[in-house]
Amino acid sequence: MSLTQAMYAASVGAFNNQQRLDVLANNLANINTPGFKQDRLVFRVPVEKKGDSTTDYLQGPSSRMPSGARTDFSQGILRHTDNPLDLALDGTGFFCIQTPGGTHYTRNGSFAINEEGVLITRAGYPVMGKGGEIKINGSNVNVDEEGNVSVDGSEVGALKIVTVSQPECLKKMGNSLFALDGSGVAEEKAEGFKIREGYIETSNVNAIRAMTEMIDISRSYESYQKTIQFLNDAAKKCIDGVGRLA
């Protein structure tokens, strides 16, 4: 491997680790955000192109490059809150939220009631039921496992719970909200879920695993930096040596 190839490989390695650190830092920053889903950086291996000697010379067939972050939609731990307006989905599915940008989806079931008696998210967006907004006028709220909402013993609506056949088509919109990316995938009626009243789904970030991975990546990044510095010094010595010979 030439000095140029070594410098390129070290630079790519440092860049990749920087990208991984950014993703991990965001995951850890949202470890206490209800319904948050962690991201993982996905890498691609470039296909070797015959005849492109410059690309093959620099990258080689095994150079990995980040191709974006993928969201891990695995379920987080359900934490008991004893608040009847805290709802957790046990199983697949999403709550439907009406926002100014259209219907968004979330696993964060920390809800409230506004002045008009409408069930809303903490950000103030209406939580959608099968027949539209859910209005709660009363004191005793109960939500059963199927999502039917009753107030003082009378049913007032049912939560609209949907799923997406290709979750990778969902993009993050902030505040634990997701939206379809316009690829043509549509929402579907969710099956096999249970609503847990008085519970909140926590973030699915494993703090110990994330911290361990961050330490490992940080050490690797520092090693690449030292390698780049060493190669830079070696290149400078080569150039100085050529200059003296001339």
Side-chain angles (χ1 to χ4, degrees):
M1 179 181 286
S2 69
L3 190 61
T4 303
Q5 286 178 305
M7 180 70 79
Y8 180 84
S11 299
V12 170
F15 175 77
N16 290 348
N17 277 282
Q18 180 61 57
Q19 297 293 302
R20 294 174 65 193
L21 279 173
D22 290 343
V23 171
L24 272 174
N26 182 65
N27 288 342
L28 286 170
N30 287 279
I31 196 168
N32 293 319
T33 302
F36 178 81
K37 299 304 175 186
Q38 66 180 340
D39 291 320
R40 292 191 177 278
L41 199 62
V42 178
F43 292 87
R44 61 179 174 83
V45 178
V47 178
E48 187 175 0
K49 298 179 181 179
K50 294 182 179 180
D52 189 354
S53 59
T54 302
T55 302
D56 295 342
Y57 173 74
L58 288 175
Q59 292 187 167
S62 61
S63 297
R64 301 189 310 162
M65 295 296 291
S67 63
R70 297 288 178 86
T71 302
D72 173 10
F73 286 97
S74 62
Q75 182 172 312
I77 297 173
L78 305 187
R79 176 171 57 85
H80 186 248
T81 66
D82 206 27
N83 181 349
L85 295 180
D86 283 344
L87 307 175
L89 275 166
D90 190 357
T92 59
F94 298 90
F95 297 105
C96 293
I97 310 298
Q98 187 61 46
T99 75
T103 301
H104 289 174
Y105 311 97
T106 188
R107 297 278 300 189
N108 181 0
S110 179
F111 300 140
I113 302 173
N114 65 13
E115 296 178 353
E116 299 175 352
V118 177
L119 186 66
I120 59 172
T121 66
R122 295 294 176 177
Y125 301 134
V127 179
M128 301 306 295
K130 294 179 179 179
E133 297 180 354
I134 298 176
K135 292 193 175 181
I136 297 175
N137 296 310
S139 56
N140 187 13
V141 181
N142 178 262
V143 182
D144 65 20
E145 292 185 345
E146 296 180 353
N148 299 309
V149 182
S150 299
V151 180
D152 297 332
S154 299
E155 188 170 315
V156 297
L159 292 167
K160 183 181 179 181
I161 309 299
V162 302
T163 188
V164 177
S165 59
Q166 300 178 38
E168 63 272 14
C169 294
L170 291 171
K171 58 181 179 180
K172 288 187 173 182
M173 306 301 293
N175 295 320
S176 295
L177 293 173
F178 296 88
L180 290 169
D181 62 3
S183 59
V185 177
E187 64 181 44
E188 303 173 0
K189 181 181 177 181
E191 301 286 351
F193 67 87
K194 290 183 179 180
I195 300 291
R196 303 297 186 186
E197 186 179 25
Y199 286 82
I200 281 292
E201 181 181 352
T202 62
S203 162
N204 66 351
V205 179
N206 184 310
I208 296 176
R209 182 181 301 169
M211 286 299 298
T212 302
E213 189 174 353
M214 179 169 280
I215 292 171
D216 181 60
I217 294 172
S218 296
R219 290 174 177 171
S220 179
Y221 182 75
E222 290 174 1
S223 296
Y224 278 119
Q225 283 185 313
K226 292 178 180 178
T227 300
I228 292 171
Q229 184 61 52
F230 171 79
L231 293 172
N232 185 61
D233 292 341
K236 185 177 179 181
K237 288 180 179 179
C238 289
I239 293 171
D240 291 342
V242 171
R244 283 195 296 271
L245 289 174

